[in-house]
Amino acid sequence: MAPNGRLIFLLFYLIFAIDGAPIGHKEKRFPSAIIIGVKKAGTRALLEFLRLNQKIHAPGPEVHFFDKNYEKGLEWYRNQMPETTWNEVTIEKSPAYFVSKSAPERIRQMNPKMKLIVVVRDPVTRAISDYTQASLKKKRLGMMPSFERMAVGDCSGWLKTNCTAKTRGVNANWGAIRLGIYHRHMRHWLNHFPLDQIHFVDGERLIRDPASEVASTERFLGLEPMVHDADFAVDPIKGFPCVRRNDQTLHCLGKSKGRKHPNVDRKVLEKLERFYQPENEIFFRLINKHFSW
């Protein structure tokens, strides 16, 4: 092909996307990345911070397609997505996917190249956050037992807790505790996706240094990092990171984020730390990454 011919071909390629649509054409597209979990680890914060990058777009509410709405079909799923151009990233967040037995295979069937994002944090802190949210939701139904009783209550307690030698006196059957045994759930995902398609975000560091965690996620998504330290400030009351707008006012996450946790008995915290320590080590070896919990 003559030089002029190559130039004309390149010009047409830049004007039109591969599917024939103009390069700036917007349409609803399936996500190329999904934040699959973990509940109460910082998934909402991560998504809000990622949206500072103008090339990242997500639906408003959690879609829950692969666990609760699968029977509605793929076209329903696509219609929940925002309109994007071919060079923008569509992403969705449904942290309940992490513990779903069916979601990994369903996602792989739709797109075996899907990029998956997992936000994890110290499982003890995550369990307390989970309890705090649940207790506030159930106020109308009466007061919940204390965190201590839920976590390490005796085996004849109202929850019929599983306090065996193996669980070191911890109620490992309680969902808030069980979810923090990350390796059990992660294995299901690794049966369907290679490790290099999964990006792990440190939920603790996301609070301390949001720009670094967001930048690494942007790179994982194939984007040039556009989020920087100057985009954040700390909520003076909650101590949680907020987005700094162009006019220097702050956009902080809702009331449900950065809630004050109950004071938990130190002995209970130590028991939970001993319980999770070997479980964390299994998880770290499984994903070939270590977090400082």
Side-chain angles (χ1 to χ4, degrees), residues 16-151:
F16 292 90
I18 294 174
D19 61 1
I23 203 167
H25 173 70
K26 285 182 174 288
E27 64 180 59
K28 293 178 181 290
R29 305 167 195 269
F30 290 117
S32 58
I34 302 176
I35 301 173
I36 60 172
V38 173
K39 176 186 176 186
K40 304 308 296 178
T43 58
R44 169 56 59 185
L46 176 66
L47 183 58
E48 289 298 314
F49 298 162
L50 284 172
R51 280 172 160 165
L52 289 169
N53 188 318
Q54 295 182 0
K55 287 192 174 183
I56 297 176
H57 303 272
E62 293 176 1
V63 181
H64 286 283
F65 175 66
F66 295 102
D67 59 346
K68 296 180 180 179
N69 295 303
Y70 195 65
E71 74 285 351
K72 295 181 179 178
L74 288 172
E75 280 308 300
W76 178 90
Y77 183 49
R78 181 162 60 178
N79 283 329
Q80 309 312 303
M81 299 299 130
E83 292 187 343
T84 55
T85 62
W86 69 276
N87 66 337
E88 294 176 329
V89 173
T90 301
I91 187 172
E92 75 123 320
K93 174 190 82 77
S94 294
Y97 290 162
F98 186 68
V99 298
S100 169
K101 296 292 179 62
S102 55
E105 183 176 2
R106 288 172 174 177
I107 294 174
R108 182 184 60 79
Q109 287 177 349
M110 189 192 81
N111 181 5
K113 299 296 184 182
M114 184 70 75
K115 294 181 178 181
L116 305 174
I117 300 171
V118 182
V119 188
V120 288
R121 69 185 304 190
D122 181 340
V124 178
T125 306
R126 198 220 66 81
I128 297 171
S129 180
D130 203 338
Y131 167 84
T132 302
Q133 182 181 62
S135 62
L136 290 174
K137 285 184 176 180
K138 294 185 178 181
K139 274 186 177 180
R140 292 180 182 178
L141 301 177
M143 294 294 290
M144 283 179 64
S146 68
F147 178 84
E148 289 87 347
R149 185 179 173 195
M150 298 281 281

Side-chain angles (χ1 to χ4, degrees), residues 230-233 243-251:
D231 293 311
F232 300 98
V243 173
R244 192 194 303 275
R245 299 188 182 98
N246 290 335
D247 63 1
Q248 299 304 304
T249 60
L250 299 184
H251 166 62

Side-chain angles (χ1 to χ4, degrees), residues 191-291:
N191 286 337
H192 296 278
F193 291 92
L195 194 56
D196 62 5
Q197 280 178 229
I198 305 174
H199 177 67
F200 296 91
V201 173
D202 185 345
E204 306 294 341
R205 192 170 179 225
L206 184 64
I207 296 173
R208 297 192 310 269
D209 186 9
S212 294
E213 286 298 315
V214 172
S216 67
T217 308
E218 289 174 289
R219 285 189 286 268
F220 172 72
L221 295 173
L223 298 174
E224 184 72 22
M226 300 295 292
V227 181
H228 307 287
D229 288 330
D231 293 311
F232 300 98
V234 176
D235 185 321
I237 298 175
K238 295 182 178 180
F240 202 83
C242 301
V243 173
R244 192 194 303 275
R245 299 188 182 98
N246 290 335
D247 63 1
Q248 299 304 304
T249 60
L250 299 184
H251 166 62
C252 300
L253 300 182
K255 293 180 180 179
S256 64
K257 308 304 176 186
R259 286 192 186 108
K260 182 176 175 58
H261 289 178
N263 292 321
V264 178
D265 184 272
R266 182 66 237 175
K267 291 182 180 179
V268 172
L269 292 177
E270 291 171 353
K271 182 174 286 190
L272 288 171
E273 289 166 358
R274 288 194 297 271
F275 167 75
Y276 277 122
Q277 194 274 331
E279 308 293 352
N280 289 340
E281 290 301 324
I282 295 172
F283 177 62
F284 298 155
R285 290 195 296 271
L286 185 67
I287 67 171
N288 195 29
K289 187 178 178 69
H290 191 278
F291 298 99

